[in-house]
Amino acid sequence: MQYRVLSLTITLILALAFIETPSSLTITSDIRYRGTVWEPPCGLTESIELFCFLVFIADISVKSYLIGWEEFRKTKWLLAYILTLVVSLIDWTVSLSFSCTETVRVRRILRPFFLLQNSSMMKKTLKCINRTLPEMASVVLLLAVHLCLFTMFGMLLFARSKDKQQDKEWVRYFHNLPDSLTSLLVLLTTANNPDVMIPAYSKNRAYSIFFILFTVLGNLFLMNLLTAIIYNQFRGYLLKSVQSSLLRRRLGIRAAFEVLCSPKESPVRTNELCVSANTLLQVLQKVEMDSCCKQAILRTVRSCPHGILSAALFQKFFDELDKDPVKQHPPTPEYQSPFLRKVQFAFGHHFFGYLGNIVALANIISICVILVMDADKQLSERDDYFLGAINCFFILYYLLEMLLKILAMGFKRYISYPSNRFDGLLTIILLVLEVSTFAVYGFPHPGWRPEMMGLLSLWDMVRLVNMLIVFRFLRIIPNMKFMALVASTLLDLVKNLRAFAGLLVVVFYAFAITGIVLFKGAVVPMGNISVVNTTSGNRTLQCGTYEQLEYWPNNFDDFAAALVTLWDVMVVNNWQVFLDAFSRYSSPWSKVYFVAWWLISSVIWVNLFVALLLENFIHKWDRHSHRCTLSEIEYQTTVELMFRDVLEEPTEEELMEKLHQHPHLQLCR
């Protein structure tokens, strides 16, 4: 309960950035059309912040009481927790003193810390990244040397000459040292390739060797070498972290065994200490833990033949904590009627599912054919009769298919499968939309094109139905072996690698707030200009600039717009446009901000994600290739189980030595 309250509080305080000044509550982020923005009155968001701070104070008070002041002073994270709260409360007081008119709020950039300190896995991940930095720094330094050397070569190779027609490369990309560094840095990400090469290449084809050599060495070799180093080093450090977690868990379980064991219940002929199964059952009844793990442990303990548990057997019971059990499906109904049994066999067979996939494919093909035929037609020429009739037929089939599957499998077993829940939910939504369409616009007929009635026109309703039909086609994934393997890998990433997503949220949040402080209001619209090389006053808009491409929605005028802008830069497609625009609108030093964001997000974090994606996929592929036993298939992959094959179990001597050194545990032996 405490964890849920704390998680909701952290989510709430992070979400305040969307509504507090500058507010993101507008339809568009385009500075030309945004209009008046609603700003919350002073005290509204501050009251919510105060509530969150009180929850954090209560949380840190409970933690300090439970672990004691001596241990509390040794924990750097908790000391940083207190410091962050103190600074945030001081800044909160300053805001109220200035009636919320101050431009810089330090506490906003500190908010991600609350998310970071609340997750032990995020702390471990951050520690692993910190330990991996020296290895990454060596490659980054090599990249910097590579970049600087080629920058010098480029400035010498494309130096200014007397012929202005031959100086296009110098004017556009190698005019000075900052421009030269920027041009080649962007080329390292291939975002401006081949644009940066064309002026020199049109002069002499031999100049292409310079750019090709730079790209091959930098992008193909050094950047991929960085990925390999991150994969190798980070996997090792994460493995060490998981190994430490395993040791702590084994120590905790062994300490519980030592506390519960009784010499009276141990066999007389041996000196081995044991725990009574009844004693363990009584303790488990009072313990709060995951219900699936608890029931699995209870079943295992009750099946113990002698009622006496040794240390090894005690440990084995608690191995259930390392597993994430898969939900068992309810049994199919048993019908007495021979006819119903035949119906159940026919429509419960996997061939019936294949038939549904073929029908769904036919539906997608028919939609594609009609869309291609109507692509060049005006709205007044389009006839929605055929598309409406086809949708009606297929939706009726989907409804019939769902009902027959429920009849064959039973309702409880039907909804126990995620694919059936996905399929059934979309079928019901499609049915509701189709009935609503008929109720408002009537049944399909030739020339079916009535005027708009209600919230959506007929064409909007038909488009919405077809989008859901296309989305429903994802039902084929579980039936395709290798596609299902890839999809399950992605699902495992979502479930088990939340720490990396959390770190990305922390970095995004901090950089977005910093960007708002640095660049809010920096970009000023020049007017509604959309043509290439159009002259506005004395200024000509070159092709490929921020203004000509109409990138006006990408700015730092509010939190939501800042997040999207950072995402666009992280993808590195056309990120040179942002480097150029913000250096013109604010300061040339703005490039430092964007290059730092590129290094952290695109170079480090994306490579970490690729490394863990490879690790997860290879693990699942190996399990798939070796065809796991039933007991292994019954459990989903967790982060611990991902490395289970290479983890080393602590020895009996190591465990007992650690327990004897524990300050709060007094052993009798």
Side-chain angles (χ1 to χ4, degrees):
M1 181 64 182
Q2 180 184 352
Y3 177 77
R4 291 181 180 178
V5 172
L6 195 58
S7 299
L8 288 174
T9 305
I10 293 171
T11 304
L12 179 62
I13 197 171
L14 291 177
L16 285 178
F18 289 100
I19 61 173
E20 61 188 1
T21 306
S23 173
S24 302
L25 301 180
T26 55
I27 295 177
T28 178
S29 62
D30 195 320
I31 57 178
R32 299 170 299 177
Y33 314 125
R34 186 164 45 193
T36 305
V37 181
W38 176 85
E39 301 293 351
C42 183
L44 177 62
T45 58
E46 286 73 17
S47 301
I48 300 174
E49 275 186 297
L50 180 60
F51 168 76
C52 296
F53 291 151
L54 292 175
V55 173
F56 295 144
I57 292 172
D59 173 60
I60 202 170
S61 301
V62 171
K63 289 178 178 177
S64 62
Y65 173 77
L66 292 176
I67 68 174
W69 179 244
E70 292 297 326
E71 290 294 327
F72 185 88
R73 288 191 303 172
K74 299 177 183 177
T75 309
K76 295 180 180 179
W77 280 102
L78 293 179
L79 293 177
Y81 196 1
I82 292 179
L83 180 62
T84 304
L85 275 174
V86 170
V87 174
S88 299
L89 285 170
I90 293 174
D91 189 63
W92 179 85
T93 306
V94 171
S95 293
L96 291 182
S97 302
F98 284 91
S99 300
C100 311
T101 57
E102 80 284 4
T103 56
V104 178
R105 298 183 181 182
V106 178
R107 66 185 185 276
R108 296 183 71 185
I109 202 171
L110 297 178
R111 288 174 186 168
F113 178 82
F114 299 123
L115 174 64
L116 190 62
Q117 66 83 31
N118 192 45
S119 170
S120 59
M121 197 62 195
M122 286 177 64
K123 295 176 187 176
K124 294 175 185 177
T125 306
L126 190 63
K127 187 177 181 180
C128 292
I129 294 174
N130 186 45
R131 290 180 177 178
T132 312
L133 285 178
E135 288 78 11
M136 289 191 291
S138 61
V139 181
V140 172
L141 181 61
L142 192 58
L143 274 172
V145 172
H146 169 74
L147 181 63
C148 291
L149 288 178
F150 271 84
T151 299
M152 295 296 102
F153 291 151
M155 293 184 69
L156 292 171
L157 193 61
F158 307 114
R160 189 174 186 178
S161 61
K162 296 181 180 180
D163 187 0
K164 293 184 178 180
Q165 294 297 324
Q166 304 296 328
D167 285 344
K168 292 182 180 179
E169 187 74 36
W170 174 80
V171 171
R172 294 183 185 179
Y173 301 109
F174 292 90
H175 187 74
N176 50 44
L177 182 61
D179 288 348
S180 304
L181 280 171
T182 303
S183 299
L184 291 182
L185 178 63
V186 175
L187 180 60
L188 194 63
T189 64
T190 68
N192 61 351
N193 185 64
D195 299 0
V196 69
M197 181 181 70
I198 293 302
Y201 182 56
S202 62
K203 177 182 176 181
N204 191 325
R205 69 175 72 241
Y207 284 129
S208 63
I209 299 175
F210 170 82
F211 297 99
I212 293 174
L213 189 61
F214 174 82
T215 305
V216 168
L217 292 177
N219 186 268
L220 298 184
F221 286 137
L222 293 180
M223 293 297 288
N224 289 320
L225 179 62
L226 182 63
T227 302
I229 288 177
I230 290 176
Y231 172 75
N232 184 56
Q233 296 294 332
F234 189 79
R235 183 184 184 276
Y237 286 121
L238 184 60
L239 179 60
K240 292 179 182 178
S241 177
V242 177
Q243 181 73 54
S244 300
S245 298
L246 178 67
L247 176 61
R248 288 194 296 270
R249 177 169 289 185
R250 296 294 184 259
L251 276 174
I253 295 172
R254 186 54 187 263
F257 174 82
E258 295 292 334
V259 171
L260 294 176
C261 70
S262 173
K264 298 179 181 180
E265 297 172 346
S266 302
V268 180
R269 290 172 293 180
T270 64
N271 295 325
E272 184 181 8
L273 294 177
C274 296
V275 173
S276 170
N278 292 329
T279 303
L280 181 57
L281 287 173
Q282 292 175 10
V283 174
L284 287 173
Q285 295 294 345
K286 300 178 181 180
V287 172
E288 291 186 6
M289 61 192 317
D290 183 76
S291 59
C292 295
C293 293
K294 186 174 183 178
Q295 293 302 321
I297 295 174
L298 288 174
R299 285 195 303 268
T300 311
V301 173
R302 288 179 181 134
S303 63
C304 183
H306 305 293
I308 300 297
L309 309 177
S310 64
L313 191 58
F314 188 90
Q315 173 64 64
K316 185 178 180 181
F317 288 161
F318 283 91
D319 285 344
E320 299 292 334
L321 296 174
D322 294 330
K323 302 173 182 177
D324 189 8
V326 178
K327 183 180 178 181
Q328 298 296 321
H329 300 292
T332 56
E334 296 181 2
Y335 295 111
Q336 300 299 326
S337 171
F339 174 74
L340 289 179
R341 285 201 295 268
K342 292 180 180 179
V343 171
Q344 184 181 36
F345 174 78
F347 298 110
H349 201 277
H350 60 273
F351 283 148
F352 184 63
Y354 295 156
L355 176 63
N357 292 336
I358 294 173
V359 173
L361 178 62
N363 193 358
I364 295 294
I365 293 174
S366 63
I367 292 174
C368 291
V369 170
I370 293 178
L371 289 178
V372 170
M373 293 173 60
D374 293 345
D376 296 327
K377 292 183 179 179
Q378 299 293 330
L379 289 177
S380 57
E381 300 174 352
R382 184 181 290 120
D383 189 352
D384 297 325
Y385 165 67
F386 294 105
L387 198 55
I390 290 173
N391 287 342
C392 180
F393 169 77
F394 282 108
I395 290 173
L396 288 177
Y397 174 82
Y398 297 151
L399 177 63
L400 179 63
E401 180 190 28
M402 182 184 70
L403 295 176
L404 290 174
K405 282 188 175 181
I406 292 175
L407 177 65
M409 304 173 64
F411 181 74
K412 291 184 178 180
R413 184 175 178 84
Y414 176 84
I415 63 173
S416 66
Y417 289 91
S419 58
N420 286 340
R421 291 198 298 269
F422 170 80
D423 199 11
L425 178 63
L426 285 182
T427 300
I428 293 173
I429 295 175
L430 286 171
L431 181 64
V432 171
L433 285 175
E434 197 71 4
V435 171
S436 302
T437 303
F438 293 160
V440 175
Y441 295 106
F443 287 93
H445 55 272
W448 193 41
R449 198 174 56 255
E451 297 295 329
M452 177 176 175
M453 300 172 62
L455 295 176
L456 298 174
S457 66
L458 174 61
W459 174 237
D460 293 333
M461 297 284 283
V462 172
R463 282 194 303 165
L464 182 58
V465 168
N466 286 309
M467 283 189 287
L468 290 175
I469 289 174
V470 172
F471 186 58
R472 186 183 179 276
F473 189 65
L474 295 177
R475 57 172 279 170
I476 70 168
I477 290 178
N479 297 323
M480 302 184 69
K481 193 174 183 180
F482 295 106
M483 189 183 293
L485 180 64
V486 174
S488 64
T489 302
L490 295 177
L491 290 176
D492 277 346
L493 283 174
V494 173
K495 291 184 294 184
N496 297 324
L497 302 181
R498 288 173 292 184
F500 295 90
L503 284 178
L504 186 63
V505 170
V506 169
V507 176
F508 256 99
Y509 200 100
F511 266 84
I513 296 298
T514 306
I516 291 173
V517 173
L518 295 175
F519 308 119
K520 181 180 180 296
V523 178
V524 180
M526 297 177 57
N528 197 3
I529 303 172
S530 59
V531 294
V532 180
N533 294 331
T534 301
T535 301
S536 177
N538 295 325
R539 183 169 182 173
T540 301
L541 302 184
Q542 292 183 348
C543 180
T545 59
Y546 183 92
E547 296 82 6
Q548 186 271 325
L549 294 172
E550 297 189 341
Y551 278 10
W552 304 109
N554 289 295
N555 53 67
F556 290 91
D557 288 358
D558 60 72
F559 186 71
L563 292 178
V564 176
T565 303
L566 289 175
W567 172 265
D568 291 339
V569 175
M570 187 181 76
V571 176
V572 300
N573 185 32
N574 272 356
W575 73 299
Q576 73 276 10
V577 175
F578 298 98
L579 290 172
D580 171 69
F582 283 93
S583 65
R584 288 189 285 105
Y585 281 109
S586 57
S587 166
W589 289 101
S590 63
K591 293 180 180 179
V592 176
Y593 171 86
F594 289 101
V595 172
W597 170 247
W598 168 74
L599 280 173
I600 292 175
S601 63
S602 185
V603 175
I604 296 178
W605 190 90
V606 171
N607 279 317
L608 285 174
F609 183 79
V610 169
L612 286 157
L613 177 66
L614 287 172
E615 182 63 29
N616 202 0
F617 181 78
I618 291 171
H619 175 78
K620 291 189 73 70
W621 183 268
D622 290 341
R623 293 176 65 202
H624 172 77
S625 301
H626 291 89
R627 296 191 178 274
C628 304
T629 61
L630 180 61
S631 60
E632 292 174 325
I633 293 173
E634 290 174 351
Y635 296 97
Q636 296 172 351
T637 304
T638 61
V639 175
E640 289 79 9
L641 286 180
M642 190 189 302
F643 298 98
R644 194 68 185 89
D645 296 336
V646 292
L647 291 178
E648 295 181 2
E649 284 287 344
T651 62
E652 176 81 8
E653 291 75 15
E654 290 176 341
L655 292 177
M656 295 309 299
E657 182 183 357
K658 293 282 186 182
L659 291 179
H660 280 292
Q661 294 174 356
H662 199 282
H664 303 298
L665 185 64
Q666 301 297 328
L667 299 180
C668 300
R669 60 190 180 97

